[in-house]
Amino acid sequence: MSTPVDLDAVRQHLESTVMVDTVRISRPTGTPILDVVTGLVGPAPAVLVWEGPGAVLSAHGLGTVERLVGGKWLDDTSSWYGLVTPLAAPLAQRGDRVEVAAAASATAGTVGRVWQVLDPAEASTVEVARVTRLDEITTP
């Protein structure tokens, strides 16, 4: 007989040990504007969807979290990065932009980088966190 998993304890553990950065999700609302002087396209107008605790993890980082939690709770991702946010966060949508506004670790290397949401947040009957596949659109 197996012991049931305490999902609330797993959620709390993830939120306190993994989701330690402040992430920002914004949604483009219009067309980028061309700067006629420079010839460069500027950012698209956007609205803030959510800012709060989370983590941007590489595929390697996602695997590390699985070991930390003590079980496989995430299938292998086809994307190199995943956004992990609390269940209270809204569902990200394809095309949303993700930035790390503040990193808990000075060596995180995520501040200043921008990712685009590839797919809506994953859905599951049993969830402990929101996981959203990302593709980086900036270089470090």
Side-chain angles (χ1 to χ4, degrees):
M1 184 172 167
S2 62
T3 306
V5 175
D6 183 347
L7 295 177
D8 285 332
V10 173
R11 280 186 205 102
Q12 290 172 6
H13 184 63
L14 283 172
E15 290 177 13
S16 66
T17 61
V18 176
M19 296 180 239
V20 295
D21 292 342
T22 301
V23 297
R24 182 179 300 133
I25 301 171
S26 59
R27 184 161 298 141
T29 59
T31 305
I33 299 171
L34 175 66
D35 182 330
V36 293
V37 175
T38 66
L40 300 174
V41 176
V47 296
L48 181 65
V49 174
W50 188 74
E51 185 169 325
V56 173
L57 302 173
S58 68
H60 174 75
L62 291 168
T64 301
V65 169
E66 285 181 355
R67 287 190 293 282
L68 180 70
V69 171
K72 189 160 182 68
W73 60 279
L74 175 68
D75 285 337
D76 291 335
T77 177
S78 62
S79 172
W80 187 244
Y81 292 96
L83 170 66
V84 181
T85 52
L87 294 177
L91 293 171
Q93 296 179 6
R94 182 175 286 124
D96 285 355
R97 292 172 50 103
V98 174
E99 301 173 65
V100 176
S105 169
T107 60
T110 54
V111 175
R113 293 165 78 169
V114 180
W115 293 264
Q116 182 175 6
V117 173
L118 292 177
D119 295 310
E122 294 178 359
S124 176
T125 299
V126 178
E127 291 184 303
V128 293
R130 295 208 189 287
V131 179
T132 307
R133 294 173 190 219
L134 304 175
D135 186 32
E136 187 168 10
I137 57 176
T138 60
T139 55

